[in-house]
Amino acid sequence: MRTVLRADRVFDAERGTMLTGTDVAVESGLITAVGPDLDGGQVVELPGRTLLPGFFDVHVHLTGVWSHADEVREPDGDVLAVRAAVDCARLLEAGFTTVRDCGSMIALSLRDLVAGGTIRGPRIVAAGPVLSQTGGHGDHHHLPLDRARLVRGAAIADGPWACRSAVREAVRAGADFIKICTTGGVSSERDHPKDEHYTPEEIAAIVAEAHRLGRRVAAHAQGRAGVLNAVRAGVDSIEHGYFLDEECVREMAARGTVYVPTFDLRRFFERDDPALPEWRRAKQREARVAMRRSLLLAYEAGVLIAAGSDYYGVPYRAHGDNADEPIEMVRAGLPPVAALRALTLNAARALGMAGVTGSVTEGRQADLVAVEGDPLADVTALRRVAFVMKAGVEETAGRRLGCRPAVSDRGARF
Ligand SMILES: [Zn+2]
């Protein structure tokens, strides 16, 4: 059956323009026509609204952790899995039709459950385990090493061949891509974002093995040296990149390395939550002053920027609020059209999916979101989601039996 969507505006992510007087026809899960005065079976009127490609968040963690206390208390795995499934529904209702999970074993199962139609959620591209060196960002510094090695999803590997094995094990576990840490991080106690992790030889081994097995590599990389090591070794994306300089962005632009700035974390860092330990707050203060400059440097150098929030479920980083990422990019000075592209087409390109989804184009999957108002004039419109369609199926909040509106730290959503 053919459905025609009629909104006031349609965002053309390819050209970076807003179209008016343009209808979108959907049939058998695909966009079959984009143009004026389309007719057909069912017409869905979306007055006052803007139709956009389904949103992407290319850096999430579907963990089921909903509070900082959970991180210490470590609730039962079944509880975490159910909560993570609820987060999938929240993401979908917030307009996110595709997400990339950058580290969570639960996400591998959620991906298959969504694809099989058991639970509602966005299309999930999942890393599974996170590879890091001993004492790296993915290692649990507070545990004895033998216990840290047993933590689900923490792949601690040192040396090129052990790194290759870790890639193979991740692929064996079902990884769609490989996540590694080439610097320390903000939330890991005994390292620093400017520490270089993994030698160039180890990163090259990971990249070679991953690419040989048809997987992309995403590098958690915050300090300049670890970013350059990762980019020169051929990783496909830099996650975070808080401390970029001219040399970093020049290399990234030249090599086509994607930048996922996880920029909204700046707001989380600015909150300076006194409940967090001082070592972490000190690193947050250092990162937050550098983040805006890095974002704008990368944009001006022509680096492909994709929206990834690094949300994992705790307050102020709750799933369903992920449109905060492009909104904060605009507040920092990125042109709205660039933020909308980071949220849609550029994210699809970052995942190698631009031929499938990411734009309102004939032949693409019918992944479509309508928001109240015009997000080019007021980017906060991205939070006012009025209609969601994934692969031709309407997924708007509250429209389906059994789905309850999500609640976030903002109170009632939308
Ligand atoms: Zn992350």
Side-chain angles (χ1 to χ4, degrees), residues 92-210:
L92 190 58
E93 291 172 4
F96 290 81
T97 51
T98 309
V99 301
R100 183 181 63 154
D101 187 289
C102 282
S104 152
M105 299 306 281
I106 298 172
L108 297 169
S109 303
L110 295 172
R111 171 196 60 200
D112 298 341
L113 291 167
V114 169
T118 307
I119 62 168
R120 300 176 60 219
R123 203 175 280 110
I124 298 171
V125 177
V130 175
L131 276 60
S132 51
Q133 67 177 42
T134 299
H137 179 63
D139 188 352
H140 291 248
H141 300 175
H142 61 288
L143 295 174
L145 185 56
D146 55 345
R147 276 189 54 209
R149 287 186 190 283
L150 297 177
V151 172
R152 222 172 151 237
I156 302 168
D158 301 291
W161 276 104
C163 286
R164 283 188 186 259
S165 290
V167 170
R168 292 172 188 175
E169 283 172 24
V171 170
R172 182 179 183 278
D176 296 311
F177 71 103
I178 302 298
K179 171 78 182 299
I180 66 168
C181 303
T182 68
T183 67
V186 169
S187 61
S188 39
E189 183 171 2
R190 293 172 190 156
D191 62 23
H192 190 277
K194 291 185 179 174
D195 293 348
E196 282 177 63
H197 284 184
Y198 279 136
T199 63
E201 189 187 11
E202 287 170 313
I203 305 169
I206 290 166
V207 170
E209 193 63 28

Side-chain angles (χ1 to χ4, degrees), residues 19 26-27 50 96 112 122-123 131 142-143 159 181 231 257 271 283 302 316 339 362 379 387 390 394 411:
L19 309 173
V26 173
E27 253 175 296
T50 302
F96 290 81
D112 298 341
R123 203 175 280 110
L131 276 60
H142 61 288
L143 295 174
C181 303
V231 171
T257 317
R271 282 179 44 79
K283 291 195 275 187
Y316 302 97
E362 206 179 303
V379 72
F387 173 89
K390 179 188 155 202
E394 190 181 345

Side-chain angles (χ1 to χ4, degrees), residues 59-61 102 137 179 220 240 262 310 317:
H59 192 132
V60 298
H61 299 276
C102 282
H137 179 63
K179 171 78 182 299
H220 160 106
H240 314 301
T262 62
D310 206 10
R317 296 170 75 176

Side-chain angles (χ1 to χ4, degrees), residues 258-320:
V258 174
Y259 180 37
V260 182
T262 62
F263 187 75
D264 180 61
L265 283 184
R266 189 175 71 146
R267 217 164 46 102
F268 182 78
F269 295 164
E270 278 168 355
R271 282 179 44 79
D272 197 23
D273 184 350
L276 295 173
E278 177 51 33
W279 56 261
R280 183 165 168 179
R281 292 166 66 192
K283 291 195 275 187
Q284 291 184 170
R285 285 193 286 274
E286 209 178 329
R288 75 190 187 205
V289 296
M291 290 168 81
R292 180 170 182 265
R293 179 174 183 268
S294 296
L295 175 69
L296 297 179
L297 263 184
Y299 173 69
E300 280 152 21
V303 175
L304 189 130
I305 296 172
S309 65
D310 206 10
Y311 282 8
Y312 66 102
V314 296
Y316 302 97
R317 296 170 75 176
H319 290 301

